[in-house]
Amino acid sequence: MDEIFERLQSVVDRYDELNELLSDPETIADTNRFMALSKEEGQLRETVETFKHYQDVTKEIADDQELLSEKLDADMEELTKGELKELESEKETLEDRLKILLLPKDPNDDKNIIMEIHGAAGGDEGALFAADLYDMYSRYAERQGWQVEVIDENKTEIGGYKEIVLMITGENVYSKLKYENGAHRVQRVPETESAGRVHTSTATVGVMPEYEDVDIDIEDKDLRVDVYRSSGAGGQHINKTSSAVRMTHLPTGIVVAMQDQRSQQQNRAKAMEILKTRVYDYYASQNEAEYAEQRKTAVGTGDRSERIRTYNYPQNRVTDHRIGLTLNKLDRIMNGELDDIIDALVIADQTAKLEDLKQG
């Protein structure tokens, strides 16, 4: 634990330094710097408070051990031993918590996301399940106090989605939804199934952090822009004019379609913002081969055999295959109550990282 204590002390020192800087009039006058330092202070606060609590518990343990070395009456000795046992258990819990708090942070955890949901295997039923997943994530986002904006959609005649692309904004969105990448399998009786047989279909989910104010130039020669009539809501005026925009970045083949805004100019601006994020993400992945492999791993092809999670409607059951978690409350999960799954995935991820640190 000596190395951990050294790292914790350096965190405390930096936290104290930040609080001094944040009370400095020069810092307060510089809005951007003040916001950046405030964010850093907020990120360190839990670690510092937990470490100070740990130090208090350690001191209480030492005091109790010293007390037990003296001559005590039987009642006082029993009381002190009971308290010492509780304190040692609390100390162990705090040590585990501190190790987790010192794990390297994913730099994207506090970012907003772009989420792509595609109906995959199963035709219309896969598209309908994509719509169900959209509803599930929208309800979860509402519970978190996040905002959901539909960027692009391709609806089927019966109300499903071949594809729907969302922007989800709020606090620490990526940190919670990054585990949703992959193929989601549904087992249920479709409404069109007269014989009552259970069908298996899939939809794929892709989650990408939003890179704000990315420093990347997209040259006109590398861009193809197509305009077309919007098929979304907005009345006859929208449908009579070519307000929707499709942008293709030719070097990478990345395509962004935007029809949610009221005017072509607004759609162009929003499409360019999303395109820059996707192109930046592409190049940030170092090379095309690595990017393609990441996308394959993240989203998958949508085959029934490729799955991270199964939603079984007849048995009201959800199983996350990555961590072997099964919950018999599908109805509540589809209503946006995803906390039990996401919390378990976070803990599994943290546990794996701690094991890696031990082995390293």
Side-chain angles (χ1 to χ4, degrees), residues 308 318-327 344-345 348:
I308 62 164
V318 174
T319 300
D320 195 290
H321 304 288
R322 294 165 294 181
I323 56 174
L325 175 70
T326 297
L327 298 170
L345 287 164

Side-chain angles (χ1 to χ4, degrees), residues 156-333:
T156 62
E157 292 181 1
I158 61 172
Y161 289 106
K162 290 181 181 177
E163 176 188 28
I164 183 166
V165 183
L166 318 170
M167 173 81 80
I168 304 180
T169 57
E171 188 175 347
N172 297 321
V173 180
Y174 185 75
S175 71
K176 295 187 176 180
L177 290 181
K178 62 184 175 183
Y179 304 103
E180 297 307 295
N181 266 323
H184 297 241
R185 182 175 73 167
V186 63
Q187 295 172 326
R188 64 185 177 189
V189 180
E191 292 179 14
T192 54
E193 171 59 64
S194 57
R197 290 174 299 184
V198 173
H199 286 226
T200 298
S201 307
T202 59
T204 60
V205 176
V207 177
M208 186 188 307
E210 179 198 16
Y211 297 100
E212 296 175 350
D213 302 322
V214 293
D215 185 18
I216 185 169
D217 291 322
I218 295 179
E219 297 182 31
D220 290 343
K221 67 180 179 65
D222 292 334
L223 195 63
R224 187 178 74 229
V225 180
D226 302 305
V227 293
Y228 56 100
R229 292 184 182 180
S230 172
S231 61
Q236 292 181 344
H237 172 69
I238 292 283
N239 293 326
K240 284 180 179 177
T241 60
S242 296
S243 60
V245 173
R246 182 186 296 107
M247 287 186 176
T248 304
H249 185 247
L250 300 174
T252 61
I254 293 170
V255 180
V256 172
M258 178 66 59
Q259 62 174 357
D260 192 53
Q261 308 301 313
R262 285 278 169 181
S263 71
Q264 186 186 125
Q265 187 177 3
Q266 288 175 316
N267 279 324
R268 276 177 178 268
K270 192 71 177 177
M272 180 58 79
E273 179 187 337
I274 303 303
L275 186 67
K276 280 189 174 185
T277 291
R278 288 183 174 175
V279 172
Y280 183 88
D281 188 70
Y282 179 98
Y283 288 121
S285 299
Q286 296 180 2
N287 58 63
E288 293 184 26
E290 183 180 340
Y291 179 83
E293 185 60 34
Q294 284 181 354
R295 297 297 290 172
K296 182 181 177 185
T297 303
V299 181
T301 60
D303 286 347
R304 290 177 177 87
S305 59
E306 279 188 48
R307 63 190 187 278
I308 62 164
R309 194 176 297 151
T310 296
Y311 304 72
N312 185 297
Y313 276 72
Q315 298 177 24
N316 196 39
R317 184 182 72 225
V318 174
T319 300
D320 195 290
H321 304 288
R322 294 165 294 181
I323 56 174
L325 175 70
T326 297
L327 298 170
N328 292 98
K329 50 179 181 180
L330 170 66
D331 51 341
R332 291 166 60 183
I333 287 164

Side-chain angles (χ1 to χ4, degrees), residues 55-98:
Q55 289 175 315
D56 290 340
V57 168
T58 303
K59 186 179 182 305
E60 288 180 54
I61 288 173
D63 290 344
D64 280 356
Q65 287 173 335
E66 186 179 345
L67 195 61
L68 286 172
S69 67
E70 301 172 4
K71 194 169 184 180
L72 302 174
D73 62 54
D75 290 342
M76 188 63 179
E77 184 175 345
E78 185 180 352
L79 186 68
T80 304
K81 282 181 177 177
E83 184 181 84
L84 186 59
K85 187 176 180 181
E86 289 180 9
L87 286 168
E88 285 173 342
S89 175
E90 186 177 4
K91 180 187 174 186
E92 190 175 327
T93 301
L94 288 168
E95 283 177 354
D96 290 340
R97 181 64 190 150
L98 286 168

Side-chain angles (χ1 to χ4, degrees), residues 2 45 52 59 232 251 329 350:
D2 289 344
R45 191 180 304 131
K52 287 181 176 176
K59 186 179 182 305
K329 50 179 181 180
Q350 290 172 341

Side-chain angles (χ1 to χ4, degrees), residues 133-157:
L133 290 176
Y134 162 59
D135 289 339
M136 178 183 79
Y137 291 124
S138 296
R139 288 169 182 152
Y140 177 69
E142 185 180 351
R143 292 173 183 274
Q144 299 296 313
W146 299 337
Q147 299 298 314
V148 178
E149 178 185 1
V150 176
I151 295 172
D152 189 31
E153 59 184 32
N154 184 354
K155 286 186 176 179
T156 62
E157 292 181 1

